[in-house]
Amino acid sequence: MGETKLKIRFYTIADFKEEEIWLREEHKKGWKLTKMVPPYFYHFEKCPPEDVIYRLDFRNNKENEDYMQMVQDYGWEYLGHCVGWLYFRKSTSSITNENDGEIFSDNTSRANMISHIMKTRMLPLLIIFLSCVIPNTLKMFDSAVSAVFTVFWSLMLVLYIYLLVHCSLKLRALKKDLE
C-alpha cells in the first residue's frame, strides 16, 4: 500500500453535491478515496492525479445485486457504503456523453432519492427533536437542573435547529431544481 492520509470533513445529508465535488478535487490532486468512516473520516491513498467523477447515491442499505450490477455495467466503480450512502467513481476519460457522468438517468430518479432522504433521515431527526430535545430543553427552566444539563441541551437545541433548517431548505431547493 502506498502513501495514505486521513482527512476530517463534516457534510450534512443535504451536502452530498459538495462532498462529490470535494472528492473529485482530491483525486485531481492525486488522492483517491479508499474508505469513509462515519461520521467524518475520509481515508485517501496517493495515486496519479486524474479527473475522476464521484457520485453518491442514498439507498439506505436497500441496494440489491441487480442495482449494483447495473451501476457497474455503466462503468462506475463501487467504493463502499457509509450511513446509507453508496460511493461510486468513474474516470472522465471514459465518459462519451453528458449522461455518462451521472448515476441517475433522469431528474425523476434524482428527485426520488431526495424524497427518500427526507423520509428516512429528516423525519427521524424531527421526531427526536420534538420528543427529546424540546422537552429536555424546557426542563432548563426548572431551578433544580445542573449547569452541565443546561449547556448540553442548549447545544443540542442549536444543533438540531441548524440541521433541520439547513437540510430541509437545501433538500427542498435541490428537489425544486429537478422539477
Side-chain angles (χ1 to χ4, degrees):
M1 180 181 259
E3 185 180 349
T4 62
K5 74 176 180 180
L6 171 70
K7 281 201 158 188
I8 298 172
R9 283 283 174 120
F10 176 75
Y11 292 103
T12 69
I13 54 175
D15 298 331
F16 58 91
K17 288 285 184 197
E18 289 81 0
E19 187 175 357
E20 291 173 346
I21 292 167
W22 177 68
L23 292 171
R24 184 177 185 172
E25 293 302 317
E26 287 296 315
H27 210 117
K28 282 181 183 175
K29 295 175 188 172
W31 292 99
K32 66 179 180 181
L33 179 70
T34 57
K35 188 169 67 173
M36 187 9 203
V37 178
Y40 322 109
F41 303 102
Y42 295 82
H43 294 262
F44 293 92
E45 184 177 296
K46 189 82 173 158
C47 65
E50 183 183 359
D51 191 10
V52 174
I53 295 172
Y54 282 78
R55 290 291 179 254
L56 279 65
D57 187 8
F58 185 76
R59 290 279 165 169
N60 205 21
N61 301 321
K62 301 284 187 214
E63 66 275 11
N64 57 32
E65 282 185 34
D66 291 340
Y67 171 78
M68 297 304 283
Q69 185 61 52
M70 178 194 68
V71 173
Q72 193 175 21
D73 289 347
Y74 282 102
W76 291 95
E77 176 188 0
Y78 172 66
L79 303 173
H81 65 278
C82 180
V83 196
W85 290 97
L86 302 175
Y87 287 72
F88 298 97
R89 72 175 160 226
K90 185 180 201 178
S91 174
T92 57
S93 63
S94 66
I95 294 174
T96 56
N97 65 53
E98 187 179 319
N99 287 337
D100 281 351
E102 294 297 332
I103 288 273
F104 298 104
S105 58
D106 54 33
N107 285 344
T108 302
S109 300
R110 289 183 192 96
N112 287 342
M113 181 189 82
I114 292 171
S115 294
H116 187 61
I117 293 169
M118 291 174 105
K119 288 176 190 166
T120 59
R121 294 300 162 113
M122 293 302 295
L123 188 59
L125 201 64
L126 182 62
I127 291 170
I128 292 169
F129 179 73
L130 294 174
S131 65
C132 188
V133 176
I134 291 289
N136 281 303
T137 302
L138 292 175
K139 286 182 183 177
M140 291 185 323
F141 299 109
D142 183 359
S143 60
V145 174
S146 73
V148 174
F149 181 88
T150 301
V151 169
F152 175 78
W153 286 108
S154 295
L155 291 173
M156 293 300 288
L157 180 69
V158 170
L159 176 68
Y160 269 80
I161 289 173
Y162 168 76
L163 287 174
L164 287 168
V165 170
H166 170 76
C167 293
S168 296
L169 293 176
K170 193 161 188 176
L171 289 171
R172 290 177 109 194
L174 286 170
K175 193 171 180 180
K176 188 175 180 179
D177 287 346
L178 296 172
E179 295 173 345

